[in-house]
Amino acid sequence: MLTEERHEKIMRLVNTSGAVSVQDLVSFLNISESTVRRDLLTLDREGRLRRVHGGATTLRDDSSYEADMENLQDKYSIHMSDKRRIAQYAASLIKKDDFVYLDAGSTTEQMADFLAGSEVTFVTNSIPLAQKLGRSGSRIYILPGRVKGDTEAIVGSEMRDMIGRYHFTKGFFGANGIAPHSGCTTPDDEEAVCKRAAVGQCLDRFVLADSSKFGLSSHITFADLSMVTLITAKAEEHIDYRPYQQITEVHIL
């Protein structure tokens, strides 16, 4: 493996997970510990990551989330450990006879790591999710439409019309903001229309959201809280989940 290719794989892992250990990289890349440490030192000096004892972390600030943030790359490091816990729990809810819709988003994307080899059939509008599940051997279909570059999601009338042909047992969705008065929101009108259409085709609907999303509202509501079940991870900071629990079921991990 060329050095440049190895560095890109390391950066992708760091930005996806928020933090990685030296041993994680040794196992994933199948290289020596000394090579990993040398690579981390180089990437730290180049200002691409932060080298810490036993591994490396992303340079991004976890506290920087805003409800109108759309760039997928910017979202990868925000509460990523919580996102992965949420995704792992959500994946555990999928049974072998389910027909599942997976929405685009930085949290739903993490579900792919916990669904490798699943015999369930999935449909998604997320390019990264489709790629991950496809590589793992899962049966995954991607919807047609326009690719939205910043979120790497498929949107548009083709996607909305096609989704109406499916009847899913479960759907898992991302959101930019969640609040009792506005429900589940997103900043983009095309994504809102597509999310709303997908929600309507699912028997059980789950919205995956880390603590940074609660109490925030973006521009457009795609689902009322009463329509969905929320899955989140208990925040270090105080969040009063009671107003949400009065409207819908909330799984707090």
Side-chain angles (χ1 to χ4, degrees), residues 34-81:
S34 61
T35 300
V36 168
R37 294 187 184 279
R38 186 167 59 251
D39 286 345
L40 294 182
L41 178 60
T42 299
L43 292 168
D44 180 83
R45 286 173 174 171
E46 292 175 353
R48 299 177 67 186
L49 52 70
R50 181 178 293 108
R51 191 165 61 102
V52 297
H53 179 70
T57 66
T58 180
L59 294 175
R60 298 190 183 106
D61 180 4
D62 277 4
S63 65
S64 61
Y65 181 76
E66 297 177 0
D68 297 336
M69 181 185 290
E70 291 198 83
N71 190 286
L72 189 61
Q73 298 300 319
D74 289 341
K75 294 180 181 180
Y76 276 141
S77 63
I78 299 176
H79 294 280
M80 183 52 74
S81 61

Side-chain angles (χ1 to χ4, degrees), residues 143-217:
L143 294 161
R146 180 177 70 84
V147 178
K148 191 177 176 197
D150 48 7
T151 60
E152 299 182 46
I154 306 295
V155 297
S157 58
E158 288 180 276
M159 182 274 187
R160 182 198 61 216
D161 293 344
M162 180 63 76
I163 202 77
R165 303 180 185 182
Y166 294 105
H167 302 279
F168 302 103
T169 57
K170 292 185 176 78
F172 298 86
F173 297 85
N176 284 64
I178 297 175
H181 64 283
S182 58
C184 305
T185 55
T186 183
D188 183 84
D189 56 347
E190 278 193 298
E191 286 208 44
V193 169
C194 292
K195 284 176 180 285
R196 193 177 300 122
V199 166
Q201 298 304 118
C202 299
L203 186 61
D204 294 320
R205 307 101 169 212
F206 301 89
V207 172
L208 282 52
D210 63 77
S211 61
S212 67
K213 311 294 181 64
F214 282 78
L216 298 183
S217 295

